[in-house]
Amino acid sequence: MTGREVEDLLRVLAPQVLGVLVRRHGQFSACEDAVQEALLAAATQWPDRGAPENPRAWLLTVAGRRLTDEWRSERARRDREVAVALREPAYAAVTPPADEDGSDSDDSLTLLLLCCHPALPRSAQLALTLRAVGGLTTAQIARAFLVPEATMGQRIRRAKQRVEAAGARFVMPAPAERDERLRTVRHVLYLIFNEGYTASSGAELHRAELTGEAIRLTRQLRRALPDDGEVAGLLALMLLTDAHRDARTGPGGELVPLAEQDRARWDRAAIAEGVALVTEALTWSPPGPYQLQAAIAAVHAEAPSAERTDWRQIVALYRVLAGLAPNPMVTLNRAAAVAMVDGPRAGLALLAPLDADDRVAGHHRLAAVRAHLLELAGEPAAAREAYLLAARRTTSLPEQRYLELRAARLGERR
């Protein structure tokens, strides 16, 4: 097996193995550490020696032995009482029972819900989901979020401690709590995707490892919840958005806005899958925020050009979205769409109230959208100042360079 094939296999198996161990032993933190050690051993050995006949059973055995060694070491160090140290029956031998060799999709869903426990801050939910369910190493997660490995390690350790301190159990929550937790799971996966698609800081516009992982995990969630229209909408939104990835940057890595992209470079297979998903979901599921965003993305994806986009349909969809899930980012996008139908002044009027909204007033996107609409309205001086303000506010170097270039071009016209 190649190293990439091993890595892909381990990411699929990681939540299954962790789910079995946590269900069997409890002690989420210790089990997660043991699984990470087993994954590391597999990543080191399997590319040269080949994967074992039953890779999942191998990981369960190795991780179980790590748990046994750790608990024995703890007993020796702290002289724990035997009853405490041996409170779980399957303690020394960790050969998986025959009925546990199959798929563990239910455990994976339970694990996702656990990683998105309400006791955790959002940053911890993101990190813990990527490590425990995604199978990424601490180093990979740290690189993706541009923080030191030690910092990310501390964040993950604290997250696991908080989950255990909150008394969280490895069981499917009651229906009311489950629905609320699922909303959090969808949001966490959406945030992981967004951070990968447009990195919030650093020199790279994309972080493909995050977008790829978000799509993989959402596919997994879709398999576990085929009757959840919002999961289908979320997956469709990710596929339709990611389909633009290759066209979003030029030869030098510069950002290319949607209107200027070479649509021949869009991923038509991803677009077809995304359109089919959202179209089918909307036939039987009440429309939710992710389905509506996916429907908007589908209109963009099916348009032959920016000029021939059905902007009136997009405005109508944003109107419904704003009524269902109002937030300033929806208003920003709606303003840009309204400008294409009713003119830039109408779009600017929608932006005005956002200056008093603390959630977005200092965000670079508000300044960037205003700059674009001012440019369309024939106010180059005001547009230039807004572009420069947006450039100062963003921490993404590709976005900063793009905004500064737009400002410079306007300066040359004066």
Side-chain angles (χ1 to χ4, degrees), residues 60-74:
L60 278 167
T61 301
V62 172
R65 287 173 180 164
R66 295 289 192 277
L67 279 175
T68 301
D69 292 345
E70 178 63 24
W71 284 332
R72 284 174 177 164
S73 174
E74 286 293 309

Side-chain angles (χ1 to χ4, degrees), residues 91-413:
Y91 188 68
V94 195
T95 301
D99 65 352
E100 287 186 348
D101 284 342
S103 171
D104 250 339
S105 59
D106 287 346
D107 274 347
S108 295
L109 174 57
T110 305
L111 195 58
L112 261 174
L113 295 171
L114 185 67
C115 291
C116 294
H117 193 279
L120 297 177
R122 192 70 75 206
S123 61
Q125 291 173 338
L126 295 172
L128 196 56
T129 296
L130 287 170
R131 174 155 155 152
V133 190
L136 272 65
T137 65
T138 301
Q140 288 173 319
I141 301 168
R143 283 197 299 271
F145 287 99
L146 300 181
V147 299
E149 184 176 351
T151 300
M152 185 57 70
Q154 290 173 355
R155 184 179 301 174
I156 292 171
R157 279 193 296 275
R158 286 195 297 267
K160 292 190 290 186
Q161 291 166 359
R162 291 185 72 163
V163 166
E164 293 185 342
R169 295 185 301 144
F170 192 69
V171 295
M172 189 65 67
E177 183 184 353
R178 176 179 177 271
D179 290 345
E180 181 59 35
R181 197 84 66 83
L182 277 173
R183 277 193 283 273
T184 302
V185 167
R186 289 191 294 261
H187 187 54
V188 165
L189 295 176
Y190 179 64
L191 290 177
I192 291 171
F193 177 84
N194 279 346
E195 180 59 32
Y197 189 70
T198 302
S200 59
S201 61
E204 300 297 325
L205 182 63
H206 307 121
R207 291 179 190 146
E209 68 276 21
L210 288 181
T211 52
E213 193 58 25
I215 291 172
R216 189 184 74 81
L217 291 175
T218 307
R219 286 190 187 281
Q220 183 175 303
L221 186 61
R222 165 83 172 142
R223 286 193 293 270
L225 300 170
D227 297 328
D228 190 314
E230 275 292 81
V231 172
L234 177 59
L235 179 56
L237 176 61
M238 289 180 179
L239 291 169
L240 290 163
T241 304
D242 197 52
H244 304 169
R245 176 162 35 102
D246 289 346
R248 288 183 74 221
T249 52
E254 66 277 11
L255 188 154
V256 180
L258 181 67
E260 299 173 20
Q261 288 175 16
D262 178 1
R263 298 185 179 217
R265 299 181 64 196
W266 287 3
D267 185 339
R268 290 296 160 186
I271 289 172
E273 183 182 359
V275 169
L277 267 171
V278 68
T279 302
E280 193 267 340
L282 286 171
T283 63
W284 54 265
S285 173
Y290 292 116
Q291 292 170 75
L292 289 168
Q293 290 178 78
I296 292 167
V299 176
H300 281 296
E302 293 185 314
S305 67
E307 295 75 20
R308 295 171 65 187
T309 300
D310 189 345
W311 288 106
R312 292 189 181 280
Q313 184 179 358
I314 289 176
V315 168
L317 287 167
Y318 270 124
R319 188 180 301 116
V320 176
L321 180 59
L324 186 65
N327 72 67
M329 288 304 174
V330 171
T331 303
L332 274 178
N333 292 325
R334 183 184 175 194
V338 165
M340 300 300 293
V341 175
D342 299 324
R345 297 291 176 194
L348 287 165
L350 281 176
L351 293 183
L354 296 182
D355 291 326
D357 189 328
D358 292 340
R359 295 172 296 174
V360 74
H363 199 286
H364 76 278
R365 282 202 61 204
L366 175 56
V369 172
R370 177 170 281 131
H372 174 62
L373 298 188
L374 286 168
E375 184 177 0
L376 292 178
E379 297 188 38
R384 180 176 179 275
E385 290 305 312
Y387 277 128
L388 291 174
L389 176 61
R392 290 194 297 271
R393 286 177 173 173
T394 185
T395 52
S396 164
L397 292 180
E399 286 189 323
Q400 186 180 82
R401 287 193 291 266
Y402 169 77
L403 293 164
E404 289 174 343
L405 180 60
R406 298 292 300 215
R409 286 175 179 171
L410 289 173
E412 291 170 359
R413 297 178 194 171

Side-chain angles (χ1 to χ4, degrees), residues 20-54:
V20 170
L21 291 179
V22 175
R23 177 160 35 83
R24 187 187 299 170
H25 300 295
Q27 302 192 31
F28 172 70
S29 181
C31 290
E32 201 279 327
D33 286 342
V35 170
Q36 284 293 321
E37 290 194 38
L39 294 174
L40 179 60
T44 303
Q45 298 175 26
W46 293 2
D48 294 331
R49 303 178 188 177
E53 184 176 347
N54 188 335

